[in-house]
Amino acid sequence: TTAAAAKEDGDEEPRIVEDDGYFAAAALPTPPAAAELEADPEAKYRFVAAYKAAGNELFKAGKYAWAIRTYTGAVDALSRHCYPSRERMLWDYFARVPCAQCYSNAALCAIKLADHAHAAALCEHAMECRPEDGDLTKVLLRHGQARLELGEVDAALPLLQRAADKEPTNRAVRAELLRAKAAAKAAAKA
């Protein structure tokens, strides 16, 4: 990797920008221009879908840190370029769904990197997007897994129980719930 010094207006010290190959590898979409959004309001949904797809490709390639960067960047870029505020974006159902999915996918990447605190925070962001159905189950599972790995059994149990209540036949959810119950039982004996 190479480092390039960049100086922003008003900065006393130059900031270092790492050229780790991310921008070349990620193939990020260009945000729709204001005129394009005015002519085609659906352009913002295609934009976030393309951004999410770039994250999915990085995930498949095992580039989890880059995938996290892309998934969270998708939500930030959608909010910044297509809505007057993040709050307005979260009022749009068709924007909320992919945003929740992006945060959930980023949380899975963080779990794979054993960055459980970051995974838990990403799941909390996903919950702000009010996920539904299978998306909600995935967020609850990932949040429960992260909390359990952080040793927060009391926080993990209700998340995993709620996921199990939503999808009682989901094997991954049942396995994590059993693991959390065993951890709670062991903690009670100690």
Side-chain angles (χ1 to χ4, degrees):
T1 57
T2 62
K7 184 159 173 93
E8 292 186 2
D9 292 341
D11 283 350
E12 292 297 320
E13 296 291 320
R15 78 184 154 83
I16 304 300
V17 179
E18 283 293 323
D19 178 11
D20 59 3
Y22 168 75
F23 292 105
L28 302 176
T30 303
E36 183 183 355
L37 284 171
E38 192 172 313
D40 180 12
E42 303 291 311
K44 60 186 164 237
Y45 308 128
R46 289 190 301 277
F47 170 65
V48 74
Y51 226 116
K52 182 181 163 211
N56 291 346
E57 290 304 314
L58 291 166
F59 176 86
K60 289 176 195 171
K63 296 184 180 294
Y64 303 124
W66 285 3
I68 291 169
R69 189 171 169 181
T70 304
Y71 289 131
T72 58
V75 178
D76 293 341
L78 181 66
S79 172
R80 188 173 53 256
H81 295 290
C82 301
Y83 292 89
S85 69
R86 179 178 165 76
E87 291 74 26
R88 289 286 299 272
M89 177 187 72
L90 293 177
W91 277 99
D92 183 346
Y93 176 82
F94 296 107
R96 272 196 344 250
V97 170
C99 290
Q101 293 167 345
C102 283
Y103 281 130
S104 180
N105 291 354
L108 177 59
C109 293
I111 288 169
K112 290 193 172 283
L113 293 171
D115 188 354
H116 304 293
H118 192 198
L122 289 163
C123 289
E124 290 166 12
H125 286 304
M127 291 302 288
E128 292 171 1
C129 300
R130 300 185 301 277
E132 299 174 350
D133 304 324
D135 291 335
L136 177 58
T137 302
K138 287 178 184 178
V139 173
L140 292 168
L141 171 62
R142 292 166 185 170
H143 201 179
Q145 288 172 317
R147 292 291 178 201
L148 191 56
E149 290 301 324
L150 291 169
E152 299 172 4
V153 178
D154 291 342
L157 271 170
L159 294 165
L160 294 167
Q161 186 61 58
R162 186 172 169 204
D165 292 345
K166 291 198 68 49
E167 288 189 28
T169 60
N170 185 313
R171 288 184 190 178
V173 170
R174 288 192 343 233
E176 286 301 309
L177 181 58
L178 288 174
R179 195 166 76 92
K181 287 180 178 180
K185 192 180 228 182
K189 287 182 181 178

